Amino acid sequence: MLFPTKLHFILEIVSKDPKLSDIVSWLPCGRAFKIHDPVAFANLVLPKYFVGMHSLRSFRRQLNIYGIKKLLNKSRCLSLFLDDGDDASDEAAP
């Protein structure tokens, strides 16, 4: 399964799990996601759903490989990855 397909599938699963949805979730627009807790994401979500991927850096590399970009405008879900100046959270859109 290609990374973008797997990512979408996993976001759907995680959105139904209250423990994991506090770590990563879809944004209200439904076209972007946010990593609320990068440390927990790297320690709990990556090893469980992305076997062999052990760091947020590797995850971001995969996002970049598949053209998933940082959101440039927070008010609209246009691109994929938001840098809001706060390294504690990441947002991206599929």
Side-chain angles (χ1 to χ4, degrees), residues 38-86:
V39 173
F41 183 79
N43 292 330
L44 300 173
V45 176
L46 288 181
K48 183 173 182 177
Y49 296 106
F50 294 96
V51 178
M53 193 177 301
H54 303 290
S55 71
L56 194 54
R57 185 176 180 176
S58 297
F59 180 76
R60 286 183 174 158
R61 189 175 306 117
Q62 286 294 307
L63 293 173
N64 290 332
I65 287 170
Y66 284 96
I68 300 170
K69 306 290 184 208
K70 289 184 179 185
L71 284 173
L72 300 175
N73 184 338
K74 292 184 201 180
S75 64
R76 296 167 55 194
C77 290
L78 295 177
S79 300
L80 280 178
F81 213 33
L82 170 70
D83 181 357
D84 60 2
D86 178 8

Side-chain angles (χ1 to χ4, degrees), residues 21-42:
S21 64
D22 288 340
I23 298 170
V24 60
S25 67
W26 288 110
L27 291 176
C29 67
R31 298 183 326 187
F33 68 94
K34 180 173 184 174
I35 299 172
H36 306 284
D37 185 341
V39 173
F41 183 79

